[in-house]
Amino acid sequence: MTAHSGRVGVVLLGGAHGSLAVARSLGRRGVPVTLFASSHSVAGFSRYVGTVVEWVGAAEPAPVERLVEESRHRDYHGWLLLPGDDFGVQLIAENHERLASQFALPVLDWTSLAPLNDKSRLSNLAARAGLDTPRVYQPMSNPADLDYPVVIKPSFTKGTNALTRAKAWRCDNASLFKIKQAEAARLVGANGFVVQQLIPGDGDVQYSYAAYWRNGQEQGHMTALRLRQYPLEFGVSPFVVQRDLPRAADEARKLLAAVGYDGLVEVEFKLDRRDDRLKLIDVNTRVWAWIGLADSCGLDFIGQSYAAATGEPLGPPRVGRKNRVAWRRHVPALLSLAQNVGRHQRPGLAGWQSVLAPALGGVFAADDPLPGLCELPLKIWERLRPSR
């Protein structure tokens, strides 16, 4: 317990839209929130974030020492430490014992989490648990031996570079793959990326399972379709719609039970219509962008995580509305639609729904308007700043 408000608080380590949803959910219930993030994180503009500490993630020279020092200086002892990005997950998990002396930690150690977070190991774990994945090739495979199109992805996101910013590179032929393969090796090393066969299809085949697990047992879950992306092929999901997808739930449970999972989690699949099988794409063992949709569906993943880690129960989310079944970030949804038009493609029903259908706002909120007002300027600044 701390002296801040008589309640155990939360430190959000990195992240943007998911961290914003957590700050609002807990802040509305009187929980003090501190955000460690860069100055352009939209979450830092929320009225529910009491303190913003400048944090450069993987570029921090001594991140663990910084966290411990800030905790002591600001009296955060016993506060819940939640990762909002992939670097935060690995940092906390690899330094679990040391950080546990200062914070309440909801995540497993790195031995348990690494097979879920490292894409080079995820396919092996999936196979042992009985899940399908896209066909995987060795990173330095001979370009002539691949069945195109393929996708190059970073094994995990620990730093920022052209590949991690893009999330994935599509290669439709051996010539392009050879160029991108060499660039990926230069940026992240010969073993720092994975090569997968591309599964065709758009948002109607992009399934997600989201849940809170405790001691290897599911405590509540939801499933959804990630109907839009920006950029169109390998971007963020600005429009997500709740759907009952039993196959996705069953497959995700097999995977998470295999590691005795504990904490918040999103598992991403893609339905391969060529064989009508779900293929595991990714696992997010951190706060994900559209976690606020769970509150709207009557699920309190955030409150469950807080209560389990701190021992302090919370009342229900104040803004939960079960009649809302979609989540939207307006700016990237509009940009996604514009990208369709710019490529002379029809956006389809999902494209128009993404900007017109009733949905929970992923950024704007009537009781917390500043993040919504700042999102577009921040997006412009992010696009215009020099690449590294």
Side-chain angles (χ1 to χ4, degrees), residues 58-102:
E60 287 284 340
V64 176
E65 289 73 14
R66 175 97 189 278
L67 277 174
V68 171
E69 180 183 340
E70 293 285 355
S71 171
R72 290 171 177 165
H73 175 69
R74 299 175 184 271
D75 192 20
Y76 293 158
H77 183 75
W79 281 32
L80 172 60
L81 181 62
L82 273 180
D85 57 23
D86 293 332
F87 173 73
V89 170
Q90 186 168 353
L91 181 72
I92 295 171
E94 286 185 328
N95 300 277
H96 200 275
E97 185 174 349
R98 184 172 182 192
L99 290 172
S101 66
Q102 293 294 321

Side-chain angles (χ1 to χ4, degrees), residues 27-341:
R28 287 168 178 146
R29 291 180 276 186
V31 175
V33 176
T34 288
L35 174 71
F36 280 62
S38 67
S39 57
H40 60 272
S41 171
V42 71
F45 293 88
S46 172
R47 61 177 289 215
Y48 295 109
V49 174
T51 303
V52 179
V53 179
E54 183 68 20
W55 173 259
V56 292
E60 287 284 340
V64 176
E65 289 73 14
R66 175 97 189 278
L67 277 174
V68 171
E69 180 183 340
E70 293 285 355
S71 171
R72 290 171 177 165
H73 175 69
R74 299 175 184 271
D75 192 20
Y76 293 158
H77 183 75
W79 281 32
L80 172 60
L81 181 62
L82 273 180
D85 57 23
D86 293 332
F87 173 73
V89 170
Q90 186 168 353
L91 181 72
I92 295 171
E94 286 185 328
N95 300 277
H96 200 275
E97 185 174 349
R98 184 172 182 192
L99 290 172
S101 66
Q102 293 294 321
F103 299 99
L105 303 179
V107 297
L108 301 169
D109 61 28
W110 190 239
T111 301
S112 301
L113 284 180
L116 294 171
N117 285 270
D118 186 342
K119 292 181 180 64
S120 65
R121 300 174 61 182
L122 182 59
S123 59
N124 291 331
L125 173 63
R128 293 196 299 271
L131 278 71
D132 289 315
T133 64
R135 184 178 177 183
V136 177
Y137 300 94
Q138 292 298 314
M140 302 309 295
S141 293
N142 185 334
D145 295 338
L146 277 57
D147 185 9
Y148 295 95
V150 298
V151 179
I152 294 176
K153 299 178 180 179
S155 296
F156 54 87
T157 308
K158 194 169 184 178
T160 301
N161 55 56
L163 179 55
T164 59
R165 282 194 296 270
K167 296 191 176 183
W169 290 335
R170 173 173 174 156
C171 302
D172 290 319
N173 54 61
S175 297
L176 180 59
F177 175 75
K178 186 175 182 179
I179 295 170
K180 293 297 187 180
Q181 180 189 51
E183 180 66 3
R186 184 185 70 81
L187 291 171
V188 297
N191 295 314
F193 63 98
V194 296
V195 181
Q196 296 176 340
Q197 192 173 40
L198 178 69
I199 297 175
D202 215 335
D204 59 338
V205 295
Q206 294 175 158
Y207 292 14
S208 271
Y209 162 95
Y212 174 69
W213 280 57
R214 181 68 173 163
N215 297 325
Q217 298 292 321
E218 180 189 274
Q219 304 299 303
H221 86 280
M222 66 176 294
T223 51
L225 290 174
R226 293 172 285 111
L227 284 177
R228 295 295 290 177
Q229 292 190 116
Y230 177 76
L232 284 174
E233 198 143 53
F234 304 116
V236 298
S237 298
F239 187 62
V240 181
V241 179
Q242 186 274 331
R243 289 286 187 272
D244 291 327
L245 304 169
R247 292 173 64 183
D250 291 343
E251 295 293 283
R253 290 185 187 114
K254 290 192 296 186
L255 181 74
L256 299 172
V259 297
Y261 194 75
D262 191 306
L264 298 165
V265 66
E266 181 202 9
V267 184
E268 298 179 0
F269 299 92
K270 201 164 184 180
L271 177 64
D272 191 338
R273 289 199 171 113
R274 296 169 299 184
D275 57 13
D276 193 37
R277 299 180 73 88
L278 279 183
K279 306 292 175 67
L280 176 66
I281 300 297
D282 202 2
V283 181
N284 293 315
T285 61
R286 51 161 171 79
V287 173
W288 57 96
W290 54 274
I291 191 172
L293 182 59
D295 282 2
S296 185
C297 294
L299 296 163
D300 190 14
F301 298 152
I302 298 167
Q304 287 177 296
S305 182
Y306 175 86
T310 65
E312 185 176 347
L314 289 172
R318 294 181 187 174
V319 295
R321 295 185 177 91
K322 293 185 180 181
N323 61 316
R324 283 185 170 176
V325 294
W327 175 94
R328 173 170 54 231
R329 283 179 55 200
H330 293 81
V331 171
L334 284 167
L335 292 173
S336 178
L337 189 68
Q339 197 172 52
N340 263 136
V341 175

